[in-house]
Amino acid sequence: AQSVSQHNHHVILSEAASLELGCNYSYGGTVNLFWYVQYPGQHLQLLLKYFSGDPLVKGIKGFEAEFIKSKFSFNLRKPSVQWSDTAEYFCAVNADNNDMRFGAGTRLTVKP
Amino acid sequence: DGGITQSPKYLFRKEGQNVTLSCEQNLNHDAMYWYRQDPGQGLRLIYYSQIVNDFQKGDIAEGYSVSREKKESFPLTVTSAQKNPTAFYLCASRRGNGYTFGSGTRLTVV
């Protein structure tokens, strides 16, 4: 089965700083890639997803992610974070055996 | 509105007791999933089902059981064999590449 690694356990940024959260997966076949966000006390929401086509994917709230197949990576970026981006972020991979695996999550704290 | 309903939202269980978490969807999705969420470990796959009357173990199936007698329902039983059952449990369903998540059940063993 595929596995997903998120490199950063906890990231602390000041407002307006740029964000990049790493995500690598291990699977050699066709994958679909996702980033989910979980705000405090709320359930998972989809930020963006990649199935095929343009490897640079734009999602909601100004987030984007780039799929680099040669590096098995799908890093999440945002040019300027806001206090309201404080949340936990999960990378997920759905491989062609149809079950989805999640990374351990990265907790983002944005200081006002 | 279509969606996934997990019940109850909070559940307390005494050690040694089995408990069943409900997951119902009215989205007509074929596949359903159970995940366990623990701090610092993300979501780990417990069981999943692609079609009715069929299911497969995920990464941490020990101490859990499921059934899929109806397309709409995928209940999860946490048995007394699960050594550390206190956690947040999430159910999801999928059709094609679209996933929908429930709001979760927080299980606490007392």
Side-chain angles (χ1 to χ4, degrees):
Chain A
Q2 70 274 23
S3 65
V4 184
S5 298
Q6 291 183 240
H7 317 299
N8 314 101
H9 186 63
H10 188 193
V11 172
I12 302 173
L13 295 173
S14 297
E15 275 195 315
S18 64
L19 170 72
E20 180 159 3
L21 302 182
C23 173
N24 286 87
Y25 65 93
S26 63
Y27 188 73
T30 303
V31 292
N32 300 316
L33 300 158
F34 306 80
W35 274 98
Y36 285 88
V37 60
Q38 188 172 34
Y39 297 102
Q42 298 185 28
H43 40 111
L44 284 175
Q45 298 176 38
L46 180 66
L47 267 181
L48 48 79
K49 58 189 177 185
Y50 171 81
F51 295 155
S52 63
D54 187 345
L56 184 61
V57 179
K58 294 197 183 299
I60 61 172
K61 306 188 180 189
F63 286 91
E64 65 178 32
E66 185 175 13
F67 171 49
I68 303 179
K69 190 173 182 180
S70 61
K71 294 184 178 180
F72 297 90
S73 71
F74 190 56
N75 292 355
L76 180 72
R77 300 195 292 248
K78 186 171 183 178
S80 176
V81 294
Q82 301 171 312
W83 177 79
S84 58
D85 292 324
T86 293
E88 190 149 17
Y89 293 81
F90 295 95
C91 180
V93 175
N94 162 235
D96 54 19
N97 62 350
N98 291 320
D99 54 324
M100 184 146 73
R101 295 299 201 280
F102 286 81
T106 298
R107 186 155 60 99
L108 172 65
T109 301
V110 180
K111 297 186 290 186
Chain B
D1 288 336
I4 296 184
T5 302
Q6 287 189 245
S7 60
K9 191 170 183 179
Y10 298 96
L11 189 57
F12 296 87
R13 185 195 97 176
K14 291 183 180 179
E15 278 193 49
Q17 287 182 338
N18 292 356
V19 63
T20 298
L21 282 60
S22 169
C23 179
E24 303 277 333
Q25 53 103 355
N26 60 3
L27 300 164
N28 199 32
H29 286 181
D30 293 312
M32 296 186 74
Y33 303 79
W34 273 106
Y35 292 90
R36 170 182 169 140
Q37 185 176 10
D38 296 282
Q41 298 192 62
L43 283 79
R44 292 180 290 166
L45 183 63
I46 305 173
Y47 268 99
Y48 62 102
S49 166
Q50 304 290 357
I51 55 172
V52 175
N53 292 322
D54 187 47
F55 47 83
Q56 287 80 41
K57 293 181 180 180
D59 298 323
I60 54 165
E62 186 175 348
Y64 299 97
S65 66
V66 292
S67 63
R68 188 86 187 277
E69 296 176 3
K70 299 186 300 181
K71 190 175 189 178
E72 303 79 21
S73 179
F74 191 41
L76 173 75
T77 297
V78 185
T79 75
S80 56
Q82 170 49 237
K83 299 303 179 191
N84 185 21
T86 294
F88 187 67
Y89 292 87
L90 267 178
C91 180
S93 69
R94 180 185 65 83
R95 186 173 194 177
N97 288 315
Y99 287 82
T100 301
F101 287 88
S103 56
T105 293
R106 184 165 298 283
L107 173 65
T108 303
V109 173
V110 296

